[in-house]
Amino acid sequence: MFFRLPYSLPILKNSPIMENQTANQNANKDPLDISRRGFVGAGLATAAGSAVRSQATLAADAKSNGQHLFWGDLHNHNAVGYAKGSLQRSIDLAREHLDFFAFTGHAWWHDMPHMPGDAHLRWVKGFEVHRKHWPKTRQLIRDANDDGFTALLGYEWHSSQFGDYCMIFPGDHEELFLPDHVGKLLGYARQHNVLAIPHHVGYKQGWRGANFEHFRRDVSPVVEIFSEHGCTESERAPQPMIRHSMGGRSTANTIVRQLAKGLRFGFVASSDNHRGYPGAYGEGVLGVWAADASPASLLEAIRARRTYAATGDRIVLEMALNGKPMGAELKPTSDRQFDIRCEAQDSLAMLELVRNGRTIERHFPEDAAPPLAPLPGRVKCRFQYGWGPWAALGLGRICHWDARLRIEGGRFLQATPCFQSAPFDEQLRDRLRTVSEHEISLVSQTTRLQCYAEDPTKAVVLEIEAGADAVLTLQLRQPVEQTLRAPLVQLQKDNVVTFTGPFTSESHIIHRLVGPSEYTANVRWCDSRAAEQTDWYYVRATQHNGQLAWSSPVWVG
């Protein structure tokens, strides 16, 4: 369904920020087809992974400081199983905004219970689809790899008794090994150098929660702390597990409880998206500090636990303990120096250092931040769009967006997409393209129909370098022709909320500017303990908009 509103808003002559006018002829030019790895001018790229990619700086050794940050999703689904969308569509979407992904189709559930109305047959049929498609799956994953993108082969193994695992292969793999016991599965993983990542571990044992009695750190160096199921850090953590039939979080199965028992593993997040949208915003994504995005380098970093979990916003998070990076194990020492670097995608509410499950240090960047984002200088600005009519009243629809974002008196340094999975359609794609360092093109779709977490919006986070006289221009071609000019000096104080038509039409917001002192933090903390004391630490970053990130732990002793 293609939706276009038949009217434009009137010109608001008295508004100091907003001016609506007919789209000019330049808006009809097609953007340069420069992908997220293409660069214009001073190195602008249209995603987090780019020439402006973050580089590790805190570790004491040169090898660790040569690491770069890569973003990916190691758990997602499509119609090769019992979800939606083709595998080729998943690959297309992943290539748009991720550096790597693993497709982990639904493969087997050896102890699946019978469900009312034979609903379990949906799983049974999906497993058969996955099995028959396995040779083609392998071929598509092989073909998806190139110098700038890594696709990994995998599948998901379910178990009521033992919990679910995502099996990630280092290369092509012919056999689809589907045993009836987790011991056999993990033994096979060890034999074939396969990652076995526990998923939604916080459910009660027996209800597809992890059975940590069988945990093996040699094949499970990392554990999923967040996905669309929710957060398993603790039973009191944000993002509760409420979307599925396995109940809520069991304290005995949460991440903090396992670390307290002496288990050692790093943290990852992945979406578990069932609409063929790897890296869907808000459902979980992982950052990996690696030398490059090759399969070998990424898997080495995951096994070394140089990973961290994020809910959606691509929060840059780096930590070092006595010069050793996240995931490291240090010899006993009483003097412990923590260096933390964080660059958020919005204002950063709090950084926390957690020791043995309890927060021991907190940093609030806003305490020292000036009241206004500084100009001239670097700032971040979020363009958010969607909303629209209520689906519950039968008014839900798909809205198509075609927009240009331009900056006068400055330049774009980076544009990071925040694209959730709705609406689903095999042919729909969100596209973010570079036209120049002064212009970005966006083609996207939003809806309230089956949107994730009842959030009917998507967004792009713009990093801008600009002077005090800079102006951000938004030019819409769909759903209406509409042009807004927002001087950055006014975006220092106020956002701009605009509707595309009468109630209940879609709307959009150019958010208030966020300055570096609000979205960045460089912190040093020291902790003195008895040398023989064994402790584990991790860092938690929280933005004001509720997006979070968790570093993998480090251990002393």
Side-chain angles (χ1 to χ4, degrees):
M1 177 180 179
F2 193 83
F3 171 68
R4 177 193 287 271
L5 288 173
Y7 38 71
S8 297
L9 290 177
I11 296 176
L12 302 180
K13 296 182 179 179
N14 296 325
S15 170
I17 294 182
M18 184 174 68
E19 177 185 350
N20 293 293
Q21 52 189 266
T22 303
N24 60 35
Q25 293 180 349
N26 290 335
N28 294 321
K29 294 180 181 179
D30 291 328
L32 300 176
D33 188 17
I34 299 174
S35 74
R36 53 184 292 283
R37 296 171 187 82
F39 312 110
V40 174
L44 168 70
T46 58
S50 67
V52 290
R53 183 184 309 284
S54 292
Q55 181 171 341
T57 60
L58 299 182
D61 58 288
K63 179 181 178 181
S64 295
N65 278 336
Q67 309 295 329
H68 296 271
L69 179 59
F70 299 92
W71 290 100
D73 184 345
L74 295 178
H75 183 190
N76 50 86
H77 299 285
N78 52 51
V80 182
Y82 54 82
K84 291 183 177 181
S86 68
L87 175 53
Q88 186 58 60
R89 176 177 178 271
S90 293
I91 293 170
D92 290 346
L93 291 169
R95 292 179 66 91
E96 278 292 310
H97 71 133
L98 299 175
D99 299 301
F100 65 95
F101 98 116
F103 169 56
T104 52
H106 301 106
W108 188 236
W109 189 350
H110 67 95
D111 55 357
M112 178 173 57
H114 283 244
M115 303 179 198
D118 288 334
H120 60 282
L121 294 180
R122 176 177 179 234
W123 279 260
V124 173
K125 293 175 182 177
F127 299 150
E128 182 66 9
V129 169
H130 182 269
R131 184 187 65 79
K132 290 181 178 179
H133 197 270
W134 186 245
K136 187 175 181 180
T137 296
R138 294 167 52 211
Q139 184 62 53
L140 286 170
I141 293 298
R142 285 196 300 268
D143 293 346
N145 284 271
D146 60 31
D147 290 339
F149 181 76
T150 291
L152 298 168
L153 183 67
Y155 63 83
E156 184 176 7
W157 182 86
H158 309 277
S159 175
S160 299
Q161 180 183 1
F162 303 115
D164 293 13
Y165 284 82
C166 289
M167 306 291 285
I168 311 296
F169 295 91
D172 188 27
H173 197 82
E174 182 176 0
E175 184 179 11
L176 193 58
F177 183 68
L178 304 172
D180 59 0
H181 194 282
V182 71
K184 298 176 183 177
L185 184 78
L186 300 183
Y188 185 86
R190 173 64 177 172
Q191 180 181 359
H192 294 275
N193 198 31
V194 179
L195 289 176
I197 302 178
H199 164 51
H200 57 44
V201 298
Y203 290 123
K204 184 178 180 179
Q205 285 190 23
W207 293 79
R208 291 177 63 191
N211 187 332
F212 282 102
E213 292 181 5
H214 296 274
F215 177 78
R216 289 183 54 168
R217 61 182 290 184
D218 58 340
V219 295
S220 299
V222 295
V223 170
E224 189 182 276
I225 191 174
F226 182 83
S227 74
E228 64 88 15
H229 284 259
C231 177
T232 59
E233 180 185 14
S234 73
E235 84 279 13
R236 296 176 178 176
Q239 306 274 6
M241 301 173 78
I242 58 176
R243 294 188 178 91
H244 294 268
S245 299
M246 286 83 78
R249 294 176 290 203
S250 169
T251 305
N253 255 32
T254 55
I255 294 291
V256 166
R257 181 61 61 89
Q258 311 319 311
L259 294 172
K261 288 161 52 178
L263 300 187
R264 297 192 175 189
F265 50 78
F267 297 163
V268 296
S270 288
S271 68
D272 193 19
N273 180 264
H274 278 55
R275 292 180 182 171
Y277 208 120
Y281 182 76
E283 300 183 39
V285 68
L286 74 145
V288 177
W289 290 103
D292 55 60
S294 66
S297 182
L298 290 171
L299 293 175
E300 181 276 327
I302 293 171
R303 292 188 181 281
R305 303 182 295 229
R306 293 194 307 275
T307 64
Y308 66 96
T311 53
D313 275 351
R314 310 289 176 88
I315 300 171
V316 177
L317 183 60
E318 185 184 6
M319 73 169 297
L321 169 54
N322 293 352
K324 300 298 182 182
M326 63 179 71
E329 298 184 34
L330 282 70
K331 295 179 180 179
T333 179
S334 58
D335 296 324
R336 305 168 186 185
Q337 177 178 291
F338 295 86
D339 291 293
I340 295 97
R341 179 174 70 93
C342 182
E343 180 178 336
Q345 295 299 321
D346 215 305
S347 58
L348 187 60
M350 179 170 56
L351 275 179
E352 298 170 88
L353 179 64
V354 179
R355 181 187 69 205
N356 301 339
R358 297 180 65 89
T359 299
I360 61 169
E361 296 283 359
R362 293 180 177 91
H363 172 65
F364 302 96
E366 64 184 345
D367 286 352
L372 299 178
L375 289 173
R378 290 193 178 196
V379 294
K380 292 191 178 183
C381 181
R382 185 178 298 249
F383 170 58
Q384 187 176 9
Y385 54 97
W387 289 276
W390 291 293
L393 298 182
L395 301 176
R397 60 191 180 190
I398 294 175
C399 182
H400 293 257
W401 298 81
D402 187 347
R404 296 290 184 97
L405 291 155
R406 300 186 180 93
I407 187 70
E408 304 168 29
R411 58 176 180 153
F412 294 119
L413 299 176
Q414 195 166 16
T416 304
C418 306
F419 296 153
Q420 65 143 292
S421 59
F424 170 79
D425 185 280
E426 179 63 30
Q427 304 306 317
L428 293 181
R429 305 286 191 275
D430 294 302
R431 303 291 194 196
L432 188 61
R433 292 288 184 265
T434 299
V435 178
S436 73
E437 65 178 358
H438 305 290
E439 184 173 350
I440 291 169
S441 171
L442 171 67
V443 175
S444 188
Q445 309 83 32
T446 59
T447 186
R448 284 192 181 275
L449 298 168
Q450 298 182 328
C451 55
Y452 176 72
E454 298 189 7
D455 179 359
T457 70
K458 297 181 181 180
V460 177
V461 179
L462 305 169
E463 184 177 1
I464 303 170
E465 184 178 64
D469 60 347
V471 177
L472 179 64
T473 299
L474 168 66
Q475 188 168 42
L476 288 181
R477 291 192 288 188
Q478 288 183 284
V480 295
E481 292 191 344
Q482 185 182 82
T483 298
L484 288 79
R485 290 174 55 81
L488 263 58
V489 291
Q490 299 197 28
L491 290 174
Q492 287 178 303
K493 299 179 180 179
D494 297 297
N495 66 6
V496 182
V497 181
T498 308
F499 288 83
T500 60
F503 189 78
T504 58
S505 297
E506 284 74 15
S507 58
H508 50 82
I509 299 179
I510 300 177
H511 283 257
R512 192 158 52 94
L513 300 182
V514 181
S517 58
E518 297 175 274
Y519 65 75
T520 63
N522 293 276
V523 180
R524 172 169 289 176
W525 283 313
C526 294
D527 190 32
S528 295
R529 303 277 280 176
E532 65 274 11
Q533 181 77 38
T534 298
D535 297 298
W536 44 273
Y537 303 81
Y538 63 87
V539 172
R540 180 170 55 230
T542 306
Q543 294 183 170
H544 280 107
N545 66 359
Q547 297 293 316
L548 296 108
W550 300 263
S551 77
S552 282
V554 291
W555 290 265
V556 178

